[in-house]
Amino acid sequence: MRLNHQTTGPDDAPVVLLASSLGTNHAMWAPQLDALSKSFRVIAFDHRGHGASEAPPGPCTIEDLGNDVIELLDTTETEQASYVGISLGGAVGLWLAQNAPDRFHRFALLCPPVNPAANAQTWTDRAAQVRKEGTQAITEATLGRWFLPSYAETHPEEVETIRRQLLSTSDEGYAACCEALSTLDLTAGLQDITAPVLLITAEQDTSIPPETVVPLAQAIPGAHLEILEDAAHLVTYTHPERINPLLLTHLS
């Protein structure tokens, strides 16, 4: 499974992978690219079924999504990289930290779901809805969770950009990743993670509430936790002035 990706930054610089949220593509990382590309070779990619990546039929697992990333490393001839992931991308990062520790230096995981399987029916119902009605059926509710009303009111063009990404995501790709989340439980191996981990959560995130992320900082050895006030789920996009310095400090 070859993932569509965009590469920026010096060819000989350390590599950083950027993994986006469910229903978006690599363009959501635009607020980070300039800052990170000065010091790193940045590879921003689309999950399977997202953006310009192929959408295989049927459900997939977190293992499938993680192995897609490992294949991306091989395809780009990258022996080791650091990894930044938000939401679905954060869950994939947790799997990689547990299952491919030799390929990664460090991780920055933003609003990562660790055990969506606790609400498995919600995810399987959403997958069925999207297969029947398309991603337009879930777009407005998703935007309502991802952006604070105050941000949406003052940044309509930015919200519209993410709306277009959700609407352009393959229905099958979105549904398959929902099914991957419906079976996901990464709690058992957290204590075995050895790479340095930065965890970031948003105080007003209703998609992945902070109370589900805070325990990760206690379970992952040496993890550093940041809780952003006055922020909702898509913190990389809405608060780059706060996120980018955290990422640069951790990745450096």
Side-chain angles (χ1 to χ4, degrees), residues 27-237:
M28 68 152 286
W29 293 103
Q32 281 68 54
L33 285 185
D34 285 348
L36 294 179
S37 296
K38 293 175 183 177
S39 302
F40 301 97
R41 180 175 172 235
V42 178
I43 302 175
F45 66 88
D46 300 334
H47 297 290
R48 61 168 62 192
H50 289 61
S53 291
E54 182 184 354
C60 66
T61 65
I62 194 68
E63 182 177 4
D64 293 327
L65 297 174
N67 282 325
D68 290 346
V69 176
I70 294 171
E71 183 173 345
L72 175 62
L73 290 179
D74 294 340
T75 300
T76 58
E77 299 182 346
T78 303
E79 186 62 31
Q80 286 189 315
S82 292
Y83 182 100
V84 179
I86 184 169
S87 192
L88 173 64
V92 175
L94 282 171
W95 186 89
L96 291 166
Q98 295 178 36
N99 292 276
D102 57 318
R103 302 301 299 269
F104 295 93
H105 295 296
R106 55 188 61 230
F107 292 85
L109 307 175
L110 302 96
C111 309
V114 65
N115 185 21
N119 300 303
Q121 192 62 49
T122 298
W123 291 104
T124 55
D125 288 348
R126 191 187 299 187
Q129 181 183 19
V130 168
R131 284 198 175 98
K132 181 179 179 181
E133 304 174 25
T135 56
Q136 64 267 22
I138 53 85
T139 292
E140 295 310 313
T142 299
L143 294 173
R145 292 190 300 269
W146 284 7
F147 298 107
L148 294 180
S150 56
Y151 181 91
E153 182 177 349
T154 56
H155 297 79
E157 292 183 3
E158 286 82 353
V159 175
E160 180 59 27
T161 296
I162 298 301
R163 178 184 282 108
R164 289 196 298 267
Q165 291 187 28
L166 285 162
L167 292 173
S168 66
T169 298
S170 157
D171 296 341
E172 180 58 34
Y174 187 100
C177 287
C178 285
E179 289 164 332
L181 290 171
S182 75
T183 60
L184 174 66
D185 185 353
L186 295 169
T187 55
L190 296 176
Q191 71 280 358
D192 298 324
I193 293 175
T194 56
V197 174
L198 169 66
L199 295 166
I200 300 177
T201 184
E203 194 175 56
Q204 294 169 267
D205 186 356
T206 57
S207 290
I208 309 295
E211 57 266 27
T212 68
V213 179
V214 170
L216 300 183
Q218 302 168 333
I220 299 172
H224 177 73
L225 174 68
E226 294 281 347
I227 303 175
L228 270 65
E229 298 178 352
D230 192 31
H233 186 62
L234 214 62
V235 289
T236 53
Y237 199 75

